[in-house]
Amino acid sequence: MPETITAPGIAAPGGHYAHAVRHGDTVYISGQLPIAPDGSHRADAGFAEQASIVLANLLAIAVAADAELVKVTAYLTDVADWPMFNTIYAELLGELRPARAVVPVPALHYGYRIEVEAIAAVRR
């Protein structure tokens, strides 16, 4: 039976979903928007701040699940933000290099510029 994962220190899900679900040794991390830990929205924040928040949320969920990222999908509303995303991503993930896709999209909820989802593997 799948296990729901809730990460401390980040905003509670805003809808009928979990931060992540563990099934066997695989963890499916829901799409994360750059929502502040207190649940406040700052869609007016610059892209670098949004990317940093969303990746910190994603990593917090992976830690809560005791899992390592293996596949990341990032949705960006402006493909011109890709180089900055790549820089921030590399800084935060360091030597970890999961498979990744960056997908341009026309719009995201609340007017955000980035959303990221992932698949992770439970550490052994």
Side-chain angles (χ1 to χ4, degrees), residues 1-5 18 20-24:
M1 176 128 184
E3 174 190 353
T4 299
I5 305 295
V21 173
R22 180 180 334 185
H23 186 264

Side-chain angles (χ1 to χ4, degrees), residues 6-49:
T6 301
I10 68 172
H16 188 71
Y17 64 93
H19 285 150
V21 173
R22 180 180 334 185
H23 186 264
D25 289 339
T26 305
V27 177
Y28 301 91
I29 301 174
S30 295
Q32 298 299 305
L33 292 167
I35 299 171
D38 66 1
S40 64
H41 294 276
R42 293 235 5 255
D44 60 334
F47 181 80
E49 183 178 349

Side-chain angles (χ1 to χ4, degrees), residues 66-99:
D66 194 24
E68 187 169 33
L69 300 175
V70 295
K71 170 67 169 84
V72 173
T73 304
Y75 303 94
L76 308 180
T77 60
D78 187 345
V79 75
D81 289 327
W82 185 90
M84 182 175 291
F85 169 72
N86 195 57
T87 297
I88 294 165
Y89 182 88
E91 288 172 3
L92 291 175
L93 271 66
E95 294 300 314
L96 180 62
R97 290 178 176 255

